[in-house]
Amino acid sequence: MKNFAVFALASAIALPGAAMAQAPAPAPAQTGAATAGVTVTTGATVYDTAGGVVGTVDSTDGTNAVINTGTVKAAVPLTSLGKGAQGPVLALTKAQLEAAAGQQQAQASAEFKSKLVPGATVYGTGGAQLGTIKSVDATGITLTTTDGDAKLPMNGFGPGPQGITIGMTADQLKAAMGAAAPAASASAATATQAEAATTSTDTAAEATTTAATTPKAKRKPR
């Protein structure tokens, strides 16, 4: 599966032989930005120093350029891009940029998971507090809310502006919990019926076996 989460490379990447003097930051732009003599435009192809294709510019905000390699999207400081004969040049190959993004993803994932502990507050879409984490196990996270407990998959949780966040509003979570309750009740009822049927079958089989193995009383001679 392709990973299109955006990872920002924290520091500028030196580009050998390129003029990397920092100019005053231009105003944010949706279509392009100029840095160190090179204009970075949305849709432009970014090359490495050997002329290999690194990826294309998805967007730029005047400070960073989001480069899409086809596997990852990485936000690279504009000061890390130099001017080449074909277009913007980065001092990393496609593989190196993907490896750097992968490393940052692993670090970010480990840091986030360390925060998924009982008692941690969970927020929903829009910043509303939904509840607190009750427990965490390999199958998911149990969330305690004002409407009861809800078990949700771990991949539904992510970092947000306020902390741990899930992509649901309070009303959506409540509706999901309401929809899950009848299904859980039906499942429990089915399991109970199956258990009762098994018990009944076992009892009948036991009675049949007892009847078959009990010797008949001998008749006394007249």
Side-chain angles (χ1 to χ4, degrees):
M1 179 181 292
K2 292 183 178 180
N3 180 7
F4 286 107
V6 178
F7 300 96
L9 301 187
S11 58
I13 305 165
L15 182 64
M20 299 303 295
Q22 295 189 17
Q30 294 183 345
T31 57
T35 177
V38 59
T39 299
V40 180
T41 307
T42 298
T45 300
V46 178
Y47 300 88
D48 60 30
T49 54
V53 174
V54 176
T56 57
V57 177
D58 256 18
S59 63
T60 179
D61 61 2
T63 301
N64 299 298
V66 176
I67 300 176
N68 185 349
T69 69
T71 302
V72 300
K73 292 182 180 181
V76 176
L78 291 175
T79 52
S80 295
L81 296 172
K83 185 176 183 180
Q86 296 173 292
V89 175
L90 182 68
L92 294 177
T93 64
K94 177 177 180 290
Q96 289 172 334
L97 181 61
E98 290 175 347
Q103 183 178 7
Q104 288 196 342
Q105 179 188 20
Q107 292 174 347
S109 177
E111 182 180 353
F112 176 70
K113 286 183 178 180
S114 69
K115 298 177 181 179
L116 299 176
V117 295
T121 302
V122 177
Y123 300 89
T125 303
Q129 182 176 327
L130 300 184
T132 57
I133 292 177
K134 180 179 182 180
S135 63
V136 180
D137 58 37
T139 60
I141 297 176
T142 299
L143 186 66
T144 296
T145 74
T146 54
D147 299 304
D149 291 350
K151 190 159 190 176
L152 303 170
M154 188 174 293
N155 60 11
F157 293 74
Q162 294 172 290
I164 303 170
T165 304
I166 59 175
M168 304 174 73
T169 63
D171 289 341
Q172 289 172 332
L173 178 58
K174 184 176 181 179
M177 292 171 64
S185 299
S187 178
T190 300
T192 301
Q193 291 172 358
E195 183 178 356
T198 300
T199 302
S200 177
T201 301
D202 291 344
T203 301
E206 183 179 353
T208 300
T209 302
T210 302
T213 56
T214 300
K216 295 181 179 180
K218 294 183 179 180
R219 295 181 179 179
K220 294 182 179 181
R222 294 179 180 178

